[in-house]
Amino acid sequence: MYFPSWMRQLYRGLSAQPAWASPRRSLVLSPHRRLPEFSSFIARTNTCGELRSSHLGQEVTLCGWIQYRRQNIFLVLRDFHGLVQIVIPQDESAASVKKILCEAPVESVVQVSGTVVARPPGQENPKMPTGEIEIKVKTAELLNSCKKLPFEIKDFVKKTEALRLQYRYLDLRSFQMQRNLRLRSQMVMRMREYLCNLHGFIDIETPTLFKKTPGGAKEFLVPSREPGKFYSLPQSPQQFKQLLMIGGFDRYFQVARCYRDEGSRPDRQPEFTQIIDISNVFRNTEIGFLQDALSKPQGTVKAICVPGGAEVLPVFLKTSINWNSPVAELIMEEQRLEFIRLMQVQEDDVILLTAGEHQKACSLLGKLRLECADLLEKKGVVLRDPALFSFLWVVDFPLFLPKEDNPRELESAHHPFTAPHPSDIHLLYTEPEKVRSQHYDLVLNGSEIGGGSIRIHNAELQHYVLATLLKEDVKLLSHLLQALDYGAPPHGGIALGLDRLMCLVTGSPSIRDVIAFPKSFRGHDLMSSAPDCVPPEDLKPYHIQVSWPADSESEKNSLNLHQES
C-alpha cells in the first residue's frame, strides 16, 4: 500500500524502534538499581525478526509459530517481531529434531536452539530483514501443536468476515491485523506524548457506570441490586468533560470507551461527486411522486450524476440518446434539456434521483452515492486516491431539529449541552428552530472523524434549553445544573473517533479491522456467542426477569432443560 510523504514521516516517527528490534530493555527504578534484562521465565534469547549478519556465530534460542515448511529442509519461524529461516537437520544423529520440525502442523508453536549462520551465496532473500542469515538447528521442542485450521492465516486468502470474527484469535496473527493494531498503539502513544508532554493536558479516566442521559444515542442499561434502579453505560464522557472543566482541569483528555446501543457499520464515507438540487426543474412536472414530494413542506428533488456508470451500475435513468427509462417518458423536453444542462451529463452517464423531505432525500442520495463508488471501484474504476488526505471543518449546524415522530417538537441536533451561536441567542425565545449551534465536525476523506462543541456554561440557560425547549426532565441532570452554578468557566471540547481515524490511516474497509475484538454488524461477539442467556437465579439479585416473546419459546425451553440437567 502506498503512503503519502507525511504519513511515511509519521510512521518513521512512530517506529523509531524497528518492529523487529530486540525487546531487551532496562527499567531504571533508581540511580543505583537496574532490573535484569530478561525474566527467568523467558526461554528465548532473541526474537525471530531481530537477527542479522552481525549475529553470525551466536548460539540462540527462538520460539515462534511455524509459518510454512519447504521440502522438509527449511521452515520459516514467526513471532511478533518478524520471520527467520530455520535449517532442518538431515543427518541421522538429529533424527528426533527433524521429526519434530517436519511433523508439526503449520501454526504449531516450537522452540529451537542453534547457531546463526550465513545463507549460502545466491540464496539471500532481500525481501526479509533476516534474509542474510538462517539458523542451523541443534535442538527443538514442540511447545504446542496446532489442530486443523478453519482458514489459512495469509492475507491473500479470502475469508468471510463472520469466520474471521468467530476465530478472531487466529485472524489476529495475520500480517494486516498485526500491522493495524501495532500502528494504532504507536499512534495512541504519540497522541499522549503530544498532549501531555508538549501541551500540558492531563489524562483522567471517567466512570463506566453512570446514569441515563437525555438525548443522543440509545444507551445500554446495566441492572443494579436496588429494585428498579439501573446504571447506564455512557455513550460518551460528555457530562464528565464539563464537570472536569468546572473542577479546574482546563486541559483534560482521555482515550474513552463509549457505548451506544446501535448497529455497527463499516464507516467508509468517501465522496466522488456532488449532490445538486433540481427541485426547480420539476416544479411543473406531471410525474406523480415528484409532484407529491414538492407539494409538501421541506419537499425537494435531488440528483447525482455517475460519470460512465451505465456499464457497471443498475440504471434508474440512463442518459443515452433515447433516455431508456420509464420515468423519461413523463419528462417534458424543456425539463429534459434543463436537466442535462444542470447535471452536465454525457453519454453513458447514470442519473440517480430522489424526492422527498429535504433531510431524508439528502441522506438517501448520500448513501446511494457511496454504494455507487464501491460498485465502480470493484469494477476497476479509480475514484479515490489512497494517497490523498483531505480535511475539512463543518460548522454552523442548527442547534435543534424537528422530532421525526412529532415535527412540532424539537430535539438537539448534537446534544443538549451545546451552546447556541452568540449571534442567535435572542432567537432561542422566539424562533428556536433558526438558532445555529457552536458545534463543529472534522471530516477526513468524506468520513467524520471528530466532533465537538462549545458548551453551555450558564445554569439558567441550560435549564431553559432542557426544560422549556426540549421538554426534558431536568431532575436527571440536577448534578450538572448545580455544578454550573458554582463558577463554571466557558469551555468546549472535541472527540476524535480513534477507530474511524485508524481505519482511514491504514486503508482498512471496516473499523472492525482496527479493533482487536470487535462486535459483528448486529452487535454480537461471534467468538464467545455474546450476548448470551443467563439462568433466572442469576437475575434474582437484580429483581428482574425475562419476558420471552412468543417466537422464543424454543430458546426458553432449551435454557430450562439446561438448568434442570
Side-chain angles (χ1 to χ4, degrees):
M1 179 180 298
Y2 172 77
F3 286 96
S5 58
W6 72 267
M7 187 60 65
R8 293 197 298 272
Q9 292 170 5
L10 171 63
Y11 190 79
R12 281 198 293 270
L14 295 173
S15 304
Q17 179 67 36
W20 53 84
S22 169
R24 303 183 211 186
R25 293 290 183 273
S26 297
L27 177 63
V28 178
L29 298 180
S30 72
H32 307 292
R33 185 179 177 189
R34 188 180 296 269
L35 287 179
E37 290 185 333
F38 278 103
S39 163
S40 59
F41 294 99
I42 297 178
R44 64 185 174 194
T45 60
N46 300 82
T47 64
C48 295
E50 71 173 298
L51 298 174
R52 301 290 186 274
S53 54
S54 59
H55 296 89
L56 289 175
Q58 291 187 14
E59 297 294 318
V60 296
T61 298
L62 308 176
C63 299
W65 288 274
I66 297 177
Q67 177 90 351
Y68 63 86
R69 191 168 28 239
R70 186 169 72 248
Q71 299 175 341
N72 285 347
I73 297 176
F74 303 101
L75 67 79
V76 172
L77 199 64
R78 181 191 79 245
D79 66 11
F80 67 98
H81 273 304
L83 309 172
V84 68
Q85 180 167 285
I86 305 297
V87 181
I88 302 175
Q90 303 296 313
D91 49 294
E92 287 295 327
S93 62
S96 60
V97 174
K98 180 179 181 181
K99 178 179 174 64
I100 290 173
L101 299 180
C102 290
E103 294 183 1
V106 169
E107 290 301 313
S108 294
V109 183
V110 296
Q111 175 181 314
V112 298
S113 297
T115 308
V116 181
V117 298
R119 293 196 185 191
Q123 294 187 21
E124 298 88 352
N125 185 349
K127 295 181 180 180
M128 288 178 65
T130 61
E132 295 181 350
I133 59 95
E134 58 192 12
I135 308 300
K136 187 176 181 180
V137 171
K138 297 177 180 176
T139 63
E141 179 183 353
L142 178 62
L143 300 178
N144 206 335
S145 181
C146 180
K147 63 186 293 187
K148 183 176 175 58
L149 294 167
F151 53 80
E152 287 189 79
I153 303 176
K154 295 185 174 71
D155 288 313
F156 60 83
V157 175
K158 297 294 183 182
K159 291 128 354 209
T160 64
E161 185 173 66
L163 192 63
R164 291 178 58 202
L165 294 181
Q166 182 180 354
Y167 296 95
R168 190 60 163 184
Y169 43 85
L170 295 178
D171 189 53
L172 289 175
R173 296 183 191 176
S174 69
F175 171 80
Q176 191 63 45
M177 287 303 303
Q178 288 277 322
R179 170 184 170 275
N180 288 354
L181 294 180
R182 293 182 189 283
L183 181 58
R184 178 185 179 126
S185 174
Q186 292 171 326
M187 286 193 68
V188 170
M189 180 59 69
R190 289 300 292 268
M191 290 175 187
R192 292 185 188 277
E193 292 173 350
Y194 177 83
L195 292 171
C196 293
N197 299 343
L198 297 182
H199 295 282
F201 279 76
I202 181 171
D203 184 358
I204 302 177
E205 292 185 8
T206 55
T208 298
L209 295 177
F210 194 44
K211 65 183 297 184
K212 185 172 174 57
T213 303
K218 194 173 181 181
E219 296 172 327
F220 287 101
L221 297 179
V222 179
S224 76
R225 292 178 180 268
E226 296 185 48
K229 294 188 176 181
F230 293 81
Y231 296 104
S232 178
L233 300 182
Q235 54 185 289
S236 78
Q238 179 58 53
Q239 294 181 52
F240 293 112
K241 297 176 188 176
Q242 296 190 250
L243 294 170
L244 286 168
M245 296 295 110
I246 296 170
F249 295 100
D250 60 337
R251 288 194 170 187
Y252 134 85
F253 83 98
Q254 70 171 316
V255 180
R257 180 69 65 193
C258 301
Y259 304 90
R260 299 179 183 182
D261 190 5
E262 56 189 23
S264 181
R265 59 187 183 182
D267 268 303
R268 193 181 189 188
Q269 299 285 316
E271 293 186 7
F272 72 98
T273 189
Q274 293 289 318
I275 297 179
I276 301 160
D277 191 314
I278 56 170
S279 302
N280 290 333
V281 176
F282 293 104
R283 289 293 176 192
N284 300 315
T285 185
E286 297 180 2
I287 303 175
F289 77 96
L290 297 182
Q291 283 181 338
D292 183 61
L294 292 173
S295 66
K296 295 178 180 177
Q298 301 295 315
T300 187
V301 179
K302 303 279 187 179
I304 60 173
C305 176
V306 183
E311 297 181 3
V312 293
L313 294 175
V315 176
F316 278 102
L317 187 60
K318 181 179 177 181
T319 60
S320 62
I321 296 174
N322 298 320
W323 279 40
N324 61 343
S325 166
V327 178
E329 298 175 2
L330 301 175
I331 297 178
M332 295 181 291
E333 180 65 15
E334 181 182 348
Q335 293 173 340
R336 187 178 75 87
L337 293 175
E338 179 64 8
F339 192 43
I340 291 175
R341 185 190 69 80
L342 279 176
M343 302 299 296
Q344 299 180 2
V345 294
Q346 305 293 327
E347 186 80 12
D348 288 330
D349 289 353
V350 167
I351 301 297
L352 301 178
L353 182 146
T354 62
E357 189 271 329
H358 176 83
Q359 187 174 352
K360 291 182 179 179
C362 290
S363 177
L364 175 60
L365 203 55
K367 292 176 181 177
L368 280 173
R369 175 177 56 181
L370 301 180
E371 288 296 325
C372 290
D374 289 339
L375 288 170
L376 287 166
E377 288 193 332
K378 286 179 181 178
K379 296 290 186 178
V381 179
V382 179
L383 294 174
R384 295 165 285 199
D385 183 356
L388 182 64
F389 287 81
S390 300
F391 293 86
L392 66 87
W393 287 101
V394 182
V395 295
D396 287 338
F397 289 91
L399 187 60
F400 305 110
L401 293 173
K403 282 187 176 180
E404 190 169 339
D405 56 347
N406 186 359
R408 293 185 177 182
E409 294 186 1
L410 298 175
E411 63 183 4
S412 297
H414 188 215
H415 57 63
F417 316 113
T418 302
H421 194 285
S423 302
D424 297 348
I425 289 181
H426 64 285
L427 295 174
L428 278 175
Y429 308 96
T430 55
E431 298 176 287
E433 67 279 358
K434 294 183 179 180
V435 177
R436 293 168 295 165
S437 70
Q438 294 191 69
H439 168 205
Y440 33 82
D441 277 353
L442 179 61
V443 177
L444 171 59
N445 289 2
S447 282
E448 177 196 338
I449 61 170
S453 67
I454 302 301
R455 312 292 153 78
I456 297 173
H457 67 281
N458 179 280
E460 184 179 344
L461 177 58
Q462 183 68 82
H463 189 283
Y464 177 78
V465 168
L466 288 168
T468 305
L469 298 180
L470 299 178
K471 297 178 172 54
E472 297 283 2
D473 184 0
V474 293
K475 293 179 181 178
L476 293 173
L477 293 166
S478 59
H479 58 284
L480 178 62
L481 292 171
Q482 185 181 45
L484 292 175
D485 257 337
Y486 284 92
H491 56 276
I494 188 170
L496 298 177
L498 182 59
D499 299 329
R500 210 172 299 173
L501 178 60
M502 289 306 308
C503 192
L504 291 168
V505 169
T506 60
S508 302
S510 167
I511 62 171
R512 290 185 281 276
D513 289 331
V514 296
I515 302 172
F517 297 100
K519 300 295 186 291
S520 71
F521 185 79
R522 296 180 59 193
H524 292 176
D525 183 337
L526 301 184
M527 181 179 64
S528 67
S529 299
D532 204 356
C533 298
V534 296
E537 55 265 29
D538 287 355
L539 298 178
K540 285 182 181 178
Y542 303 103
H543 309 281
I544 59 177
Q545 62 182 11
V546 177
S547 177
W548 294 91
D551 58 355
S552 298
E553 283 299 318
S554 60
E555 186 175 357
K556 177 182 177 183
N557 293 334
S558 66
L559 177 62
N560 288 336
L561 288 173
H562 173 70
Q563 294 164 354
E564 292 168 5
S565 62

